[in-house]
């Protein structure tokens, strides 16, 4: 049973479009994250949500917005997509206080053409 | 600014050899140091982790060595196998506040049969 699942796995879209990536975790964790992995494999945190509250918001463009309908879901919305947004986006979750280990999803490869 | 520095960027090791990856950090508030393993097309997966109150942790063929005074830690893979070929990331986070994980830049390990 998948712990952190992301959809879609691949996303190809044109510049200027708006797209969303969905993430769900069934681990009962209280914090979820979005990471961006660029072509050089560097992992950079974009957002995290704890109990429906945004607690970290790195310097990402405001075209990116996380939305959490409940603590098991953290979706990523991207408006006006640009070529530079092409990357692999990973969702992750963790439980504060019990372990600092993150569980990652398998990633969404976004290609903007 | 890169919170965690990792080297080498790539590593080629013969089967049966020892793979060593090094990381360094500056923030003394960090108190949790995990290593993640990532295979192509997959998300990073927690491999092994250490807290600064111990100098070494071993799990099977994988060992973390930790030097608190030097603010350095390393991953040793003994008897390296072709199946160990992957990208390895060190990371660091702190116990209090947002337990945000800061990743190193990754090391691409190739184990030659």
């Amino acid at each position: 049973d998948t712990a952190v699942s992301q959809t879609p796995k691949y996303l190809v879209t044109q510049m200027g479009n708006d797209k969303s990536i969905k993430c769900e975790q069934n681990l009962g964790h209280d914090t979820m994250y979005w990471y961006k992995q660029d072509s050089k494999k560097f992992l950079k945190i974009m957002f995290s949500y704890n109990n429906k509250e945004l607690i970290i918001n790195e310097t990402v463009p405001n075209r990116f917005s996380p939305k959490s309908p409940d603590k098991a879901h953290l979706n990523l919305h991207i408006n006006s997509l640009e070529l530079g947004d092409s990357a692999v986006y990973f969702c992750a979750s963790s439980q504060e206080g019990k372990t600092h280990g993150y569980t990652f999803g398998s990633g969404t490869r976004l290609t903007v053409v | 600014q890169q919170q965690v520095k990792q080297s080498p960027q790539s590593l080629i090791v013969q089967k049966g050899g020892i793979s060593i990856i090094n990381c360094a950090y500056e923030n003394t508030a960090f108190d949790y140091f995990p290593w993640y393993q990532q295979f192509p097309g997959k998300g990073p997966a927690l491999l092994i982790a250490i807290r600064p109150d111990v100098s070494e942790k071993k799990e099977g063929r994988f060992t973390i060595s930790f030097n608190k005074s030097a603010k350095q830690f390393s991953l040793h893979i003994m008897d390296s196998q072709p199946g160990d070929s992957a990208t390895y990331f060190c990371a660091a986070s702190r116990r209090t506040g947002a337990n945000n994980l800061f990743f190193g830049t990754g090391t691409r390990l190739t184990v030659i049969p």
Side-chain angles (χ1 to χ4, degrees), chain B residues 9 12 14 19 21 56-57 59 74 80-81 86-87 90 100 113:
Chain B
Q9 188 174 6
I12 299 174
Q14 292 275 0
S19 304
I21 304 171
E56 186 175 283
K57 182 173 182 180
E59 290 184 2
S74 59
S80 298
Q81 299 296 312
T87 300
C90 60
N100 186 20

Side-chain angles (χ1 to χ4, degrees), chain B residues 2-112:
Chain B
Q2 190 66 31
Q3 298 263 7
V4 181
K5 296 181 180 179
Q6 182 172 348
S7 64
Q9 188 174 6
S10 63
L11 181 61
I12 299 174
V13 174
Q14 292 275 0
K15 178 182 176 181
I18 302 174
S19 304
I20 302 174
I21 304 171
N22 300 301
C23 285
Y25 64 97
E26 288 296 325
N27 189 342
T28 54
F30 288 149
D31 63 351
Y32 177 73
F33 303 90
W35 285 87
Y36 282 79
Q37 180 187 54
Q38 185 180 25
F39 292 105
K42 301 292 185 182
L46 180 65
L47 185 64
I48 186 173
I50 196 169
R51 296 197 185 276
D53 51 346
V54 296
S55 60
E56 186 175 283
K57 182 173 182 180
K58 184 176 181 179
E59 290 184 2
R61 296 183 294 107
F62 300 90
T63 300
I64 300 179
S65 297
F66 185 81
N67 186 330
K68 189 174 181 179
S69 61
K71 291 185 286 187
Q72 295 175 347
F73 58 110
S74 59
L75 176 69
H76 292 62
I77 306 175
M78 312 300 288
D79 187 26
S80 298
Q81 299 296 312
D84 297 331
S85 297
T87 300
Y88 292 81
F89 294 92
C90 60
S93 71
R94 53 188 180 184
R95 189 190 305 268
T96 58
N99 58 333
N100 186 20
L101 260 183
F102 295 94
F103 284 89
T105 50
T107 296
R108 185 165 189 158
L109 172 65
T110 303
V111 181
I112 300 172

Side-chain angles (χ1 to χ4, degrees), chain A residues 9 31 33 35 37 40-45 48 55-56 58 90 94-107 109, chain B residues 2 31-32 34 36 38 40-46 51 87 89 93-106 108:
Chain A
K9 188 170 178 64
T31 307
Y33 311 83
Y35 277 81
Q37 187 171 47
K40 295 184 179 180
K41 298 288 188 182
F42 182 54
L43 278 161
K44 181 178 179 181
I45 188 166
S48 70
I55 59 172
I56 299 173
E58 294 294 316
F90 287 99
S94 70
Q95 178 65 34
E96 188 172 358
K98 288 189 177 181
T99 175
H100 288 220
Y102 285 23
T103 301
F104 281 83
S106 57
R109 181 175 292 277
Chain B
Q2 190 66 31
D31 63 351
Y32 177 73
Y36 282 79
Q38 185 180 25
K42 301 292 185 182
L46 180 65
R51 296 197 185 276
T87 300
F89 294 92
S93 71
R94 53 188 180 184
R95 189 190 305 268
T96 58
N99 58 333
N100 186 20
L101 260 183
F102 295 94
F103 284 89
T105 50
R108 185 165 189 158

Side-chain angles (χ1 to χ4, degrees), chain A residues 68-83:
Chain A
S68 180
D70 55 61
K71 76 177 219 178
H73 296 82
L74 183 65
N75 303 324
L76 182 64
H77 297 269
I78 315 170
N79 296 324
S80 302
L81 278 155
E82 300 177 358
L83 291 176

